Amino acid sequence: MRTHFDVFGLPRAYDVDVPALEKQYRELSLQLHPDRVAQADARERLKALEGTTALNEAFKTLKDPVRRAFYLLKLHGVDLDREDAGAQKDMPLEFLEEVMELREALDGAMEKKDLARVQAMGSQVRGRSKAALDEAAGVLRALEGGGPAEEAPAQVRKASHALGRVRYFTRFLEQVDAFEEESLS
């Protein structure tokens, strides 16, 4: 299976040189642009369009550290983007209870129109989201570094839990951002 890393000829890794990726993206975009084959037969035009689509999707995923982390986890067999993902159901109960409490507190602060409280909660959760992403990145680096095979399932689970937290925190922060926008407009 061809991966997003393969599209750019990169090794599969969490760490990516984004400026180099952007430069290579521009070069490949020019090479693969459908206008270059506008006079070709339908099959060649379709191939160019598919190549451009794959390039754009690969670039969008690899340039963003969060998307890259979720993608690497997917390559290890866990797709957290699916709503029915078993990993989402597998989150530690303590964390799920904590998220419920956080959401209830956020709802309460929003009902009271307490912008300062909502912003403080957002700031705290942003820090926790960054810490969870950092944890996932460390685990993914170890996984891609070719550690002992017997440790891989536990590492995948650990990365899955960390990225699950990132997902929950992102949704929380989307609510905070929407409230801030509404309050400030």
Side-chain angles (χ1 to χ4, degrees):
M1 175 183 98
R2 190 166 184 224
T3 70
H4 292 336
F5 296 97
D6 296 335
V7 170
F8 287 97
L10 296 172
R12 201 166 105 168
Y14 176 76
D15 297 301
V16 170
D17 180 347
V18 175
L21 178 74
E22 289 171 343
K23 181 177 187 262
Q24 191 174 11
Y25 171 72
R26 285 189 298 275
E27 291 169 2
L28 288 171
S29 291
L30 292 173
Q31 290 174 21
L32 297 173
H33 199 278
D35 288 350
R36 293 181 62 104
V37 292
Q39 304 304 317
D41 65 21
R43 188 170 56 219
E44 283 298 312
R45 289 193 315 266
L46 179 61
K47 186 177 172 187
L49 182 61
E50 288 171 346
T52 299
T53 301
L55 178 68
N56 290 337
E57 181 61 29
F59 178 67
K60 187 169 73 173
T61 300
L62 296 182
K63 77 175 182 171
D64 180 282
V66 174
R67 286 183 180 199
R68 189 179 330 123
F70 277 89
Y71 181 69
L72 278 168
L73 187 62
K74 184 177 179 179
L75 293 178
H76 284 280
V78 179
D79 185 356
L80 290 179
D81 289 327
R82 290 186 33 203
E83 287 303 317
D84 66 334
Q88 289 180 349
K89 298 178 191 114
D90 190 35
M91 290 298 291
L93 188 58
E94 318 82 64
F95 175 74
L96 297 175
E97 289 170 351
E98 181 186 347
V99 166
M100 282 180 50
E101 289 171 12
L102 269 172
R103 284 217 176 267
E104 287 170 6
L106 179 63
D107 289 344
M110 287 168 49
E111 275 180 32
K112 293 176 185 172
K113 307 277 189 232
D114 187 347
L115 180 60
R117 175 78 181 124
V118 170
Q119 288 174 325
M121 292 176 75
S123 179
Q124 178 191 27
V125 168
R126 267 187 196 81
R128 294 183 62 198
S129 183
K130 182 187 179 324
L133 180 60
D134 290 346
E135 178 187 338
V139 174
L140 290 167
R141 284 182 189 106
L143 268 169
E144 295 304 321
E150 63 273 3
E151 291 179 15
Q155 296 287 69
V156 168
R157 183 181 176 100
K158 189 173 181 182
S160 173
H161 285 175
L163 289 174
R165 291 195 309 275
V166 169
R167 168 72 31 90
Y168 281 104
F169 292 146
T170 299
R171 289 180 181 150
F172 183 94
L173 292 169
E174 286 169 354
Q175 265 190 289
V176 168
D177 292 344
F179 180 78
E180 284 178 337
E181 211 172 279
E182 185 181 299
S183 296
L184 299 173
S185 59

